[in-house]
Amino acid sequence: GYLQRLFRQRHLFGIGYMIYTLYGMKTQNDNIGHTAHFGGAIGGILATIIFNYQVVYTSQLMLGVLSITTVFAGLLLYYNKNK
């Protein structure tokens, strides 16, 4: 029902948030600390796994998508700093 729809929307927000963070890290054309958002995303993923370990079994697809996006953001950050 309603709670399941709301839960799905949170996942979409998380994915959209990471895409926006990646875009912001790449373009760096505003005064927003997108690198800090990246750190917050890592902390959020780890906190979710630590405090609600069931998510590893119940939301593998979303956890995988967010984790892959976060790793991609980390690589982007690493290569931008080494230019």
Side-chain angles (χ1 to χ4, degrees), residues 42-56 63:
I42 292 173
I45 290 171
L46 292 176
T48 300
I49 292 170
I50 290 168
F51 293 116
N52 186 10
Y53 67 91
Q54 296 291 334
V55 74
V56 174
L63 188 60

Side-chain angles (χ1 to χ4, degrees), residues 1-78:
Y2 175 74
L3 290 178
Q4 289 176 340
R5 285 192 306 258
L6 183 63
F7 186 68
R8 286 187 198 121
Q9 290 173 357
R10 287 185 202 158
H11 283 78
L12 292 176
F13 175 79
I15 293 168
Y17 180 78
M18 284 306 300
I19 290 170
Y20 173 71
T21 298
L22 286 172
Y23 173 77
M25 286 171 62
K26 184 165 175 60
T27 60
Q28 295 184 356
N29 60 1
D30 53 19
N31 291 326
I32 298 173
H34 295 285
T35 307
H37 290 155
F38 171 67
I42 292 173
I45 290 171
L46 292 176
T48 300
I49 292 170
I50 290 168
F51 293 116
N52 186 10
Y53 67 91
Q54 296 291 334
V55 74
V56 174
Y57 305 110
T58 60
S59 298
Q60 293 173 346
L61 177 63
M62 287 299 120
L63 188 60
V65 168
L66 291 173
S67 297
I68 289 169
T69 307
T70 303
V71 167
F72 181 74
L75 292 172
L76 181 66
L77 180 63
Y78 175 76

